[in-house]
């Protein structure tokens, strides 16, 4: 376990961090680095050994994701999204579908994604309008998914689609979609900052033919299944935000020891130190909440409240303190070889993915109100 995490740390320091500066300015991760990630077993961390994975537990997977995110959140998110589809195939796909796609996911040849969000709906997942209609030899898929991690290059997706009437949460099913199939078109999404290492993009489905067995989760259970799965995602995203904070704090600490101003090192200036101390305290608090969620998810216990609290704490802490940490660096902090600007953008993204912060706050309020009564 520790040997694996040490290897991941070496990969993050030696390969991911140096490349991330280029990714933050629009370059894309190359095939060599993806192959190295695959050789390390990063696409099969929680996949059972019998299926060619490493059979690690959720806690170890989360630590690996966090180590990678300390160097580049986008690259880590891209890897873990492919990993999640590999894991789902092992958990819920018919064996022949699993065996058809799993080897190319584990080898990094094919990337994959989970597609819920649409142009007209994000937070309100029950309102998805992509439809899957039964056809004599299977299903026909129509609609559009947008803001999807790995959307630019993914070969495979689990797509959530409405099988009944619009707005009916119990009518939503989940379908395995080969994104190279006729009728699928894709587009890249750019923001005011580069999205290349995350591969953000979208798809349009125009009467895409799916075999009967492509329906992985039947209507009636897909809505609940995604809400359960999302607790794990919220938890590892929290750990990834903590890792970005930690990387930024370490960089500031090193800089503060060597950069002099008015004849003394920055770290000898009380007001400079006090901002750093605030960030360290916030990180410690956020790590404690995250550890609780990691333990619950790892043990298969109810993590709904803990995962939401962890993500709120970690995202808010990163969004609050990363700008202050950048400020402590002076102009030097803007250089792309330092992680501040890409981690800032990533903290904003983390505030949307797997449940926007407002939505999570409302969830926490509802769950704790229940506990109070
Ligand atoms: C870089 C990136 C990658 C992503 N990757 C994926 C992916 O791989 N797969 C996928 O399916 N989706 C993905 N998403 C989409 C993400 O899940 C959505 O952005 C998120 O669900 C929020 O939806 P929205 O952006 O449409 O915001 P909206 O739902 O339009 O909400 C806008 C704002 O209003 C708030 N709000 C909305 N409704 C309420 C309410 N009832 N109460 C309180 N506040 C509310 C929200 O919190 C938010 O702040 C990604 C997004 C980004 C930015």
């Amino acid at each position: 376990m520790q040997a694996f995490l040490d290897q991941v740390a070496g990969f993050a320091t030696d390969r991911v961090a140096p490349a991330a500066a280029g990714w933050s300015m629009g370059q894309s991760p190359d095939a060599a680095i993806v192959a190295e990630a695959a050789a390390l077993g990063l696409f099969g961390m929680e996949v059972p050994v019998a299926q060619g994975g490493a059979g690690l537990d959720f806690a170890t997977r989360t630590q690996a994701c966090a180590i990678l995110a300390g160097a580049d959140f986008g690259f880590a998110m891209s890897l873990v999204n492919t990993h999640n589809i590999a894991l789902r195939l092992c958990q819920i796909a018919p064996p022949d579908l699993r065996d058809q796609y799993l080897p190319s996911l584990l080898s990094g040849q094919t990337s994959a994604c989970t597609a819920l969000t649409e142009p007209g709906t994000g937070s309100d997942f029950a309102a998805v309008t992509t439809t899957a209609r039964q056809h004599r030899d299977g299903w026909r898929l129509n609609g559009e998914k947008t803001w999807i991690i790995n959307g630019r290059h993914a070969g495979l997706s689990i797509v959530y689609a409405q099988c009944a009437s619009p707005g009916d949460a119990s009518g939503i099913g989940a379908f395995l979609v080969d994104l190279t199939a006729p009728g699928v078109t894709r587009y890249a999404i750019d923001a005011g900052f580069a999205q290349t290492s995350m591969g953000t993009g979208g798809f349009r489905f125009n009467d895409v033919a799916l075999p009967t067995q492509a329906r992985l989760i039947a209507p009636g259970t897909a809505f609940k299944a995604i809400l359960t799965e999302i607790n794990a995602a919220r938890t590892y995203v929290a750990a990834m935000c903590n890792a970005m904070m930690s990387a930024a704090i370490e960089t500031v600490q090193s800089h503060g020891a060597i950069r002099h101003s008015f004849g003394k090192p920055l770290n000898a200036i009380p007001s400079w130190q006090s901002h750093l101390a605030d960030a360290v305290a916030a990180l410690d608090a956020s790590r404690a909440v995250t550890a609780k969620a990691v333990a619950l998810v790892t043990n298969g216990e109810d993590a709904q409240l803990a995962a939401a609290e962890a993500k709120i704490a970690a995202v808010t802490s990163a969004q609050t303190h990363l700008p202050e940490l950048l400020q402590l660096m002076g102009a030097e902090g803007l250089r792309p070889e330092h992680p501040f600007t890409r981690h800032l953008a990533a903290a904003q993204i983390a505030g949307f993915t797997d449940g926007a912060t407002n939505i999570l706050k409302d969830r926490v309020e509802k769950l704790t109100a229940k506990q109070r009564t």
Side-chain angles (χ1 to χ4, degrees):
M1 200 99 70
Q2 193 50 51
F4 167 70
L5 292 173
D6 290 344
Q7 281 183 318
V8 176
F11 176 63
T13 307
D14 300 339
R15 297 288 287 123
V16 179
W23 300 338
S24 68
M25 292 184 293
Q27 291 167 14
S28 292
D30 59 27
I33 200 163
V34 174
E36 285 175 55
L40 276 176
L42 289 166
F43 294 111
M45 290 182 282
E46 264 191 283
V47 170
V49 174
Q51 260 84 56
L56 299 168
D57 64 7
F58 176 76
T60 309
R61 175 254 272 245
T62 299
Q63 275 179 277
C65 290
I67 291 167
L68 293 169
D72 189 79
F73 179 87
F75 188 67
M77 281 296 257
S78 170
L79 293 188
V80 77
N81 271 268
T82 296
H83 167 276
N84 291 348
I85 300 298
L87 184 59
R88 286 305 259 167
L89 286 183
C90 295
Q91 292 167 334
I92 57 171
D96 56 332
L97 266 193
R98 177 196 68 202
D99 296 344
Q100 183 182 347
Y101 292 110
L102 193 56
S104 66
L105 295 177
L106 296 181
S107 69
Q109 280 171 311
T110 299
S111 63
C113 56
T114 301
L116 293 88
T117 304
E118 301 184 350
T121 185
S123 304
D124 185 8
F125 168 50
V128 294
T129 58
T130 294
T131 56
R133 298 280 175 244
Q134 258 179 319
H135 196 265
R136 56 183 180 281
D137 55 350
W139 301 89
R140 289 287 187 273
L141 189 68
N142 283 283
E144 181 173 348
K145 296 290 176 182
T146 196
W147 286 107
I148 306 301
I149 292 166
N150 288 342
R152 294 180 191 206
H153 44 69
L156 199 63
S157 182
I158 293 183
V159 174
Y160 287 79
Q162 181 56 263
C163 305
S165 311
D168 177 3
S170 68
I172 297 172
F175 295 81
L176 188 68
V177 180
D178 183 335
L179 295 169
T180 61
V184 180
T185 51
R186 74 177 77 214
Y187 52 90
I189 297 181
D190 282 312
F193 42 86
Q195 294 281 295
T196 53
S197 63
M198 208 176 297
T200 315
F203 309 101
R204 293 189 186 90
F205 304 112
N206 183 13
D207 234 10
V208 177
L210 304 176
T212 306
Q213 58 173 0
R215 195 191 68 183
L216 296 185
I217 310 180
T221 51
F223 192 70
K224 192 159 174 244
I226 193 68
L227 293 183
T228 305
E229 196 180 319
I230 228 164
N231 292 328
R234 286 170 184 166
T235 302
Y236 65 67
V237 168
M240 290 161 78
C241 287
N242 295 338
M244 291 195 289
M245 277 272 280
S246 176
I249 286 169
E250 278 173 28
T251 309
V252 170
Q253 283 169 333
S254 304
H255 187 69
I258 55 168
R259 175 75 176 182
H260 283 64
S261 182
F262 297 97
K264 53 183 172 186
L266 289 174
N267 66 10
I269 300 168
S271 62
W272 189 95
Q273 266 296 351
S274 104
H275 285 293
L276 185 55
D278 287 346
V280 171
L283 175 59
D284 283 349
S286 165
R287 275 183 167 155
V289 194
T290 306
K292 185 178 163 193
V294 170
L296 289 171
V297 177
T298 306
N299 296 328
E301 292 172 49
D302 180 0
Q304 205 185 154
L305 177 60
E309 287 178 335
K311 186 163 179 275
I312 292 167
V315 166
T316 308
S317 168
Q319 289 177 342
T320 306
H321 292 283
L322 285 171
E324 297 212 347
L325 291 165
L326 168 56
Q327 187 72 22
L328 297 182
M329 290 290 293
E332 177 67 22
L334 296 171
R335 292 187 192 279
E337 54 266 39
H338 297 308
F340 297 93
T341 50
R342 63 178 183 273
H343 282 0
L344 269 174
Q348 293 306 123
I349 290 169
F352 295 129
T353 56
D354 305 301
T357 305
N358 289 0
I359 302 288
L360 295 186
K361 285 183 177 172
D362 287 348
R363 177 113 312 257
V364 167
E365 171 52 26
K366 274 193 193 114
L367 291 170
T368 51
K370 242 192 229 170
Q371 284 177 351
R372 288 194 295 271
T373 53

